[in-house]
Every structure is written in C-alpha cells, then in structure tokens.
Amino acid sequence: NPKDYWYLKQSETETIEGVDDAGELDQLLSAMLKLGLRQTEIQDVFKTLGGVLELGNISFDVKSNSTEEDSSQVANSEVLAKAAGLLAMDVESLEWLLTKRRIGRHSVVIIGRTVAEATNARDGLSKMLYANLFLWLIQRINME
C-alpha cells in the first residue's frame, strides 16, 4: 500500500484511474524476462526497490550526549533491520552509515550526525541506490 511508505506518500496519489497495477506488474516482469534478465536479477531489482522504500521509513530521534553535541539514533530499529535485509547489509553498518560520519584522512574523527543530517544521509543513500539501479538496468539491457 503506498500509504505505508514515506517516499510514496509524498505524491498523495494512491491509485491512477484506469490503471491496472497487477496487469502493469505482469507486463513489467514479462518485459524484464524478454530483455534477458535472469530471475535472480529480477528478484534483486525488487529487493533493492523494497530496500529504498524501507530506507525512507527510517526515522531518527535525538540522542543526548553528555560529553559532546547531541547526535541522532534510529527510532525504529525494526524498519532499519528490514531495509538492511533487503539491501543485503548488516544492520550495524547501515545504522553507522546513517547516524555517523568520518572527518579527516590521516587522523580520523567519528562524529554523530544530527537528526537533520541523518535524514539527509538516508535520503542521499536512497537516491544513490535508485540511480545506480537505473544505470545497472540500462547497462544490463544493453548487454543483450
């Protein structure tokens, strides 16, 4: 259901009159097979898309720190785990990627991201994954 995903809710459109979603999905799957994509590749495409949608549902809370500036923490760990699973990542790595950052090259300092920075990191990761999936699909189709 589009209402279940933050990224899809932004359009405020759940259905398009005259469009048969199930029929469109069947046509998409048929086209992917005709273009030479293997079943495992098709599954990976949908896992990646699902992972992007789940990433959009990850929210953050302020994490109060007594010795440094406040940072962020994932507020809904079950969504984080679902996104990580779909993206074939471990949960801890995904959480670190979203809530922390490295500064420096030789002397590295780890700093926690604010809630706004974590949200931007989440959205940036989602955009990068979606863009790279699109590029991969184009390259993969052109191989055939």
Side-chain angles (χ1 to χ4, degrees):
N1 184 346
K3 287 183 181 177
D4 295 338
Y5 299 98
W6 171 252
Y7 291 144
L8 297 181
K9 285 194 292 193
Q10 302 314 298
S11 73
E12 298 179 5
T13 302
E14 244 182 274
T15 59
I16 300 172
E17 190 175 325
V19 174
D20 173 20
D21 289 335
E24 294 286 331
L25 178 60
D26 288 343
Q27 287 182 12
L28 174 64
L29 292 171
S30 176
M32 292 171 103
L33 290 169
K34 286 178 184 173
L35 289 168
L37 272 73
R38 295 184 299 275
Q39 193 64 41
T40 55
E41 292 173 318
I42 294 170
Q43 289 172 343
D44 288 343
V45 166
F46 283 101
K47 284 181 185 177
T48 302
L49 290 172
V52 168
L53 289 175
E54 291 295 340
L55 273 175
N57 284 353
I58 296 172
S59 57
F60 304 94
D61 288 330
V62 173
K63 180 179 179 184
S64 297
N65 299 306
S66 60
T67 59
E68 56 190 69
E69 290 185 26
D70 289 347
S71 58
S72 62
Q73 61 189 11
V74 172
N76 47 357
S77 58
E78 69 286 346
V79 178
L80 176 74
K82 196 170 184 181
L86 288 166
L87 297 171
M89 296 181 71
D90 65 89
V91 175
E92 295 79 17
S93 295
L94 181 55
E95 183 172 25
W96 195 99
L97 184 66
L98 297 174
T99 60
K100 295 181 180 26
R101 61 187 166 121
R102 294 175 200 240
I103 296 179
R105 282 192 175 172
H106 303 292
S107 298
V108 177
V109 177
I110 308 298
I111 295 179
R113 297 182 194 269
T114 65
V115 169
E117 290 169 339
T119 301
N120 287 338
R122 177 202 70 192
D123 293 342
L125 177 61
S126 297
K127 288 175 189 177
M128 187 265 318
L129 287 168
Y130 192 81
N132 284 336
L133 175 61
F134 181 79
L135 290 174
W136 177 84
L137 279 168
I138 297 300
Q139 291 171 348
R140 179 64 181 81
I141 289 167
N142 287 332
M143 286 174 47
E144 291 301 316

